Amino acid sequence: AWLDNNTEFGTSASVQASQKSQFDFDLSINAIPSAEIETGLNWNNSHTGEFFLKELKFTSMTTLTQAMNAPEFEAMRKYMKEQMDRPRIVTAVWILIEGDEEHSSFCAGGSLDLKAEKIGKITVSGSGCRMSTWSFSPDSVMAYESAKIKFNKDDGTVASLEIDQATR
């Protein structure tokens, strides 16, 4: 009932993301007599993704409020007002129309060399990578907008819907 003749497609968004970062650290020190220490640390990561999204939203908040105030929803309004803490309603969704696989990688490595006179040398090192690939099916909801439901104190009907400033 709330959706009848009160929805429309809104704007579209084409999202392309690509990011890379890298960090390297090397240290060589001989502050300890008869010992030489060398150490290194490095890491890098990357992420790529591409989506085409379409917004689906309520056409009119007034029409939605009127539908929510229909007599058949009185029990639901009462439950939301009395049992829920700051109830909200989703007023728009961003639907995935098309998207490529996303790829992410994170690699790290490090080493420690310790040389001591008359004792020898110890070397410890290691490295590794984590690779991830994921995808979403078309028609997946990727983000949404919500509104706070404000009730009339006297009769418990919906007085207004206030769009949240922070959406997901």
Side-chain angles (χ1 to χ4, degrees), residues 83-116:
Q83 302 297 319
M84 298 176 79
D85 183 29
R86 298 181 300 247
R88 286 171 167 62
I89 184 170
V90 172
T91 54
V93 292
W94 288 88
I95 300 169
L96 177 67
I97 303 300
E98 184 179 1
D100 293 338
E101 285 185 339
E102 285 195 61
H103 301 279
S104 176
S105 68
F106 177 81
C107 298
S111 64
L112 172 66
D113 287 329
L114 175 59
K115 296 176 191 170

Side-chain angles (χ1 to χ4, degrees), residues 28-46:
S28 181
I29 189 167
N30 58 0
I32 301 171
S34 303
E36 196 175 305
I37 301 171
E38 292 182 10
T39 186
L41 173 67
N42 62 73
W43 62 263
N44 65 67
N45 68 341
S46 66

Side-chain angles (χ1 to χ4, degrees), residues 128-148:
C129 291
R130 180 190 71 218
M131 311 290 211
S132 299
T133 300
W134 62 93
S135 61
F136 297 95
S137 302
D139 297 332
S140 295
V141 173
M142 303 300 284
Y144 65 90
E145 172 188 82
S146 60
K148 295 175 193 156

